Short mmCIF file of all heavy atoms in Angstrom, two decimals:
data_model
loop_
_atom_site.label_atom_id
_atom_site.label_comp_id
_atom_site.label_asym_id
_atom_site.label_seq_id
_atom_site.Cartn_x
_atom_site.Cartn_y
_atom_site.Cartn_z
N LEU G 313 -1.64 24.39 -8.55
CA LEU G 313 -0.68 25.41 -8.17
C LEU G 313 -0.80 26.64 -9.06
O LEU G 313 -0.41 27.74 -8.67
CB LEU G 313 0.75 24.85 -8.25
CG LEU G 313 1.01 23.60 -7.38
CD1 LEU G 313 2.43 23.09 -7.61
CD2 LEU G 313 0.77 23.91 -5.91
N VAL G 314 -1.34 26.40 -10.28
CA VAL G 314 -1.56 27.48 -11.26
C VAL G 314 -2.95 27.26 -11.85
O VAL G 314 -3.57 26.22 -11.62
CB VAL G 314 -0.48 27.46 -12.38
CG1 VAL G 314 0.90 27.77 -11.79
CG2 VAL G 314 -0.47 26.11 -13.08
N PRO G 315 -3.49 28.23 -12.62
CA PRO G 315 -4.80 28.02 -13.25
C PRO G 315 -4.85 26.71 -14.04
O PRO G 315 -3.89 26.33 -14.71
CB PRO G 315 -4.95 29.24 -14.17
CG PRO G 315 -4.19 30.30 -13.47
CD PRO G 315 -3.00 29.60 -12.86
N CYS G 316 -5.98 26.02 -13.94
CA CYS G 316 -6.15 24.70 -14.54
C CYS G 316 -6.06 24.76 -16.06
O CYS G 316 -6.63 25.65 -16.70
CB CYS G 316 -7.50 24.12 -14.11
SG CYS G 316 -7.68 22.37 -14.44
N THR G 317 -5.34 23.82 -16.65
CA THR G 317 -5.17 23.75 -18.10
C THR G 317 -5.81 22.48 -18.65
O THR G 317 -6.22 21.58 -17.89
CB THR G 317 -3.68 23.76 -18.48
OG1 THR G 317 -3.07 22.55 -17.95
CG2 THR G 317 -2.97 24.98 -17.89
N GLU G 318 -5.87 22.37 -19.98
CA GLU G 318 -6.38 21.16 -20.62
C GLU G 318 -5.53 19.95 -20.24
O GLU G 318 -6.05 18.85 -20.06
CB GLU G 318 -6.37 21.34 -22.15
CG GLU G 318 -7.34 22.37 -22.68
CD GLU G 318 -8.78 21.85 -22.72
OE1 GLU G 318 -9.01 20.68 -22.33
OE2 GLU G 318 -9.66 22.62 -23.13
N GLU G 319 -4.23 20.14 -20.10
CA GLU G 319 -3.35 19.04 -19.70
C GLU G 319 -3.68 18.57 -18.28
O GLU G 319 -3.66 17.37 -18.00
CB GLU G 319 -1.89 19.50 -19.77
CG GLU G 319 -0.90 18.38 -19.48
CD GLU G 319 0.53 18.84 -19.65
OE1 GLU G 319 0.75 19.92 -20.24
OE2 GLU G 319 1.43 18.11 -19.18
N ASP G 320 -4.02 19.52 -17.40
CA ASP G 320 -4.42 19.14 -16.05
C ASP G 320 -5.71 18.32 -16.07
O ASP G 320 -5.84 17.34 -15.31
CB ASP G 320 -4.63 20.39 -15.19
CG ASP G 320 -3.35 21.14 -14.92
OD1 ASP G 320 -2.29 20.49 -14.82
OD2 ASP G 320 -3.41 22.39 -14.83
N ILE G 321 -6.65 18.71 -16.93
CA ILE G 321 -7.91 17.97 -17.05
C ILE G 321 -7.65 16.54 -17.52
O ILE G 321 -8.22 15.57 -17.00
CB ILE G 321 -8.88 18.68 -18.01
CG1 ILE G 321 -9.20 20.09 -17.52
CG2 ILE G 321 -10.16 17.87 -18.18
CD1 ILE G 321 -9.91 20.13 -16.20
N HIS G 322 -6.77 16.41 -18.51
CA HIS G 322 -6.44 15.08 -19.03
C HIS G 322 -5.81 14.22 -17.92
O HIS G 322 -6.16 13.04 -17.76
CB HIS G 322 -5.47 15.20 -20.21
CG HIS G 322 -5.04 13.89 -20.78
ND1 HIS G 322 -5.88 13.08 -21.51
CD2 HIS G 322 -3.84 13.23 -20.70
CE1 HIS G 322 -5.24 11.98 -21.86
NE2 HIS G 322 -4.00 12.05 -21.39
N GLN G 323 -4.89 14.82 -17.16
CA GLN G 323 -4.27 14.09 -16.05
C GLN G 323 -5.31 13.67 -15.02
O GLN G 323 -5.29 12.54 -14.51
CB GLN G 323 -3.20 14.96 -15.38
CG GLN G 323 -2.54 14.30 -14.19
CD GLN G 323 -1.65 15.25 -13.40
OE1 GLN G 323 -1.41 16.37 -13.83
NE2 GLN G 323 -1.16 14.79 -12.25
N LEU G 324 -6.24 14.55 -14.73
CA LEU G 324 -7.31 14.26 -13.77
C LEU G 324 -8.14 13.07 -14.23
O LEU G 324 -8.48 12.17 -13.45
CB LEU G 324 -8.17 15.50 -13.59
CG LEU G 324 -9.22 15.51 -12.47
CD1 LEU G 324 -8.55 15.33 -11.11
CD2 LEU G 324 -10.02 16.81 -12.52
N HIS G 325 -8.49 13.06 -15.52
CA HIS G 325 -9.27 11.95 -16.08
C HIS G 325 -8.49 10.64 -15.96
O HIS G 325 -9.07 9.59 -15.61
CB HIS G 325 -9.61 12.22 -17.54
CG HIS G 325 -10.60 13.32 -17.73
ND1 HIS G 325 -10.96 13.78 -18.98
CD2 HIS G 325 -11.30 14.07 -16.84
CE1 HIS G 325 -11.85 14.76 -18.84
NE2 HIS G 325 -12.07 14.94 -17.55
N MET G 326 -7.20 10.67 -16.29
CA MET G 326 -6.40 9.44 -16.26
C MET G 326 -6.28 8.89 -14.84
O MET G 326 -6.34 7.67 -14.63
CB MET G 326 -5.01 9.71 -16.84
CG MET G 326 -4.99 10.04 -18.34
SD MET G 326 -5.75 8.73 -19.36
CE MET G 326 -7.35 9.48 -19.72
N VAL G 327 -6.14 9.77 -13.87
CA VAL G 327 -6.07 9.32 -12.47
C VAL G 327 -7.39 8.66 -12.07
O VAL G 327 -7.41 7.61 -11.41
CB VAL G 327 -5.74 10.50 -11.53
CG1 VAL G 327 -5.86 10.07 -10.07
CG2 VAL G 327 -4.35 11.04 -11.81
N ALA G 328 -8.52 9.25 -12.50
CA ALA G 328 -9.83 8.68 -12.17
C ALA G 328 -10.02 7.32 -12.84
O ALA G 328 -10.59 6.40 -12.24
CB ALA G 328 -10.93 9.64 -12.57
N ILE G 329 -9.57 7.18 -14.09
CA ILE G 329 -9.71 5.91 -14.80
C ILE G 329 -8.88 4.82 -14.12
O ILE G 329 -9.33 3.68 -13.96
CB ILE G 329 -9.31 6.07 -16.28
CG1 ILE G 329 -10.36 6.92 -17.00
CG2 ILE G 329 -9.18 4.71 -16.96
CD1 ILE G 329 -9.97 7.32 -18.40
N GLU G 330 -7.67 5.17 -13.69
CA GLU G 330 -6.84 4.20 -12.96
C GLU G 330 -7.53 3.80 -11.66
O GLU G 330 -7.48 2.63 -11.25
CB GLU G 330 -5.46 4.78 -12.69
CG GLU G 330 -4.58 4.89 -13.91
CD GLU G 330 -4.36 3.55 -14.59
OE1 GLU G 330 -4.13 2.55 -13.87
OE2 GLU G 330 -4.43 3.50 -15.83
N SER G 331 -8.16 4.76 -11.01
CA SER G 331 -8.91 4.47 -9.79
C SER G 331 -10.06 3.52 -10.09
O SER G 331 -10.35 2.59 -9.31
CB SER G 331 -9.43 5.76 -9.16
OG SER G 331 -10.26 5.49 -8.05
N ALA G 332 -10.74 3.74 -11.23
CA ALA G 332 -11.85 2.86 -11.62
C ALA G 332 -11.35 1.44 -11.88
O ALA G 332 -12.00 0.45 -11.50
CB ALA G 332 -12.55 3.42 -12.85
N LYS G 333 -10.20 1.33 -12.54
CA LYS G 333 -9.63 0.00 -12.81
C LYS G 333 -9.33 -0.74 -11.51
O LYS G 333 -9.63 -1.92 -11.36
CB LYS G 333 -8.36 0.13 -13.65
CG LYS G 333 -8.58 0.56 -15.08
CD LYS G 333 -7.26 0.68 -15.82
CE LYS G 333 -7.45 1.12 -17.26
NZ LYS G 333 -6.16 1.27 -17.96
N SER G 334 -8.72 -0.01 -10.56
CA SER G 334 -8.40 -0.62 -9.27
C SER G 334 -9.67 -1.02 -8.52
O SER G 334 -9.75 -2.10 -7.92
CB SER G 334 -7.57 0.35 -8.43
OG SER G 334 -6.35 0.66 -9.06
N LYS G 335 -10.67 -0.14 -8.58
CA LYS G 335 -11.93 -0.41 -7.90
C LYS G 335 -12.61 -1.63 -8.51
O LYS G 335 -13.14 -2.48 -7.78
CB LYS G 335 -12.84 0.82 -7.99
CG LYS G 335 -14.13 0.71 -7.22
CD LYS G 335 -14.92 2.02 -7.31
CE LYS G 335 -16.25 1.94 -6.56
NZ LYS G 335 -17.01 3.21 -6.67
N TRP G 336 -12.61 -1.70 -9.85
CA TRP G 336 -13.23 -2.86 -10.50
C TRP G 336 -12.48 -4.14 -10.14
O TRP G 336 -13.08 -5.18 -9.86
CB TRP G 336 -13.25 -2.69 -12.01
CG TRP G 336 -13.55 -3.99 -12.71
CD1 TRP G 336 -12.70 -4.75 -13.45
CD2 TRP G 336 -14.77 -4.72 -12.66
NE1 TRP G 336 -13.31 -5.89 -13.87
CE2 TRP G 336 -14.58 -5.90 -13.40
CE3 TRP G 336 -16.01 -4.48 -12.06
CZ2 TRP G 336 -15.59 -6.83 -13.56
CZ3 TRP G 336 -17.01 -5.42 -12.22
CH2 TRP G 336 -16.80 -6.59 -12.96
N GLY G 337 -11.13 -4.09 -10.13
CA GLY G 337 -10.35 -5.27 -9.78
C GLY G 337 -10.65 -5.74 -8.37
O GLY G 337 -10.79 -6.94 -8.12
N PHE G 338 -10.81 -4.80 -7.44
CA PHE G 338 -11.14 -5.15 -6.05
C PHE G 338 -12.52 -5.79 -5.97
O PHE G 338 -12.71 -6.82 -5.33
CB PHE G 338 -11.08 -3.90 -5.17
CG PHE G 338 -11.48 -4.15 -3.74
CD1 PHE G 338 -10.59 -4.72 -2.84
CD2 PHE G 338 -12.77 -3.83 -3.30
CE1 PHE G 338 -10.96 -4.96 -1.53
CE2 PHE G 338 -13.15 -4.08 -1.99
CZ PHE G 338 -12.24 -4.64 -1.10
N GLU G 339 -13.52 -5.17 -6.67
CA GLU G 339 -14.87 -5.72 -6.64
C GLU G 339 -14.93 -7.10 -7.31
O GLU G 339 -15.65 -7.99 -6.87
CB GLU G 339 -15.83 -4.75 -7.34
CG GLU G 339 -16.03 -3.44 -6.59
CD GLU G 339 -16.95 -2.48 -7.34
OE1 GLU G 339 -17.31 -2.79 -8.49
OE2 GLU G 339 -17.28 -1.43 -6.77
N ALA G 340 -14.16 -7.25 -8.39
CA ALA G 340 -14.16 -8.53 -9.10
C ALA G 340 -13.58 -9.62 -8.22
O ALA G 340 -14.10 -10.75 -8.17
CB ALA G 340 -13.38 -8.41 -10.40
N ARG G 341 -12.49 -9.32 -7.52
CA ARG G 341 -11.90 -10.32 -6.63
C ARG G 341 -12.84 -10.66 -5.47
O ARG G 341 -12.96 -11.83 -5.08
CB ARG G 341 -10.56 -9.81 -6.09
CG ARG G 341 -9.44 -9.79 -7.12
CD ARG G 341 -8.10 -9.52 -6.46
NE ARG G 341 -8.05 -8.19 -5.86
CZ ARG G 341 -7.69 -7.09 -6.51
NH1 ARG G 341 -7.36 -7.17 -7.78
NH2 ARG G 341 -7.66 -5.93 -5.89
#
């Protein structure tokens, strides 16, 4: 909504890591 900040980058990384955890859990099952 506004120019991207360092905090936005950190949030983006955390969302991707959570996605990776979910993806790994699905593949493991």
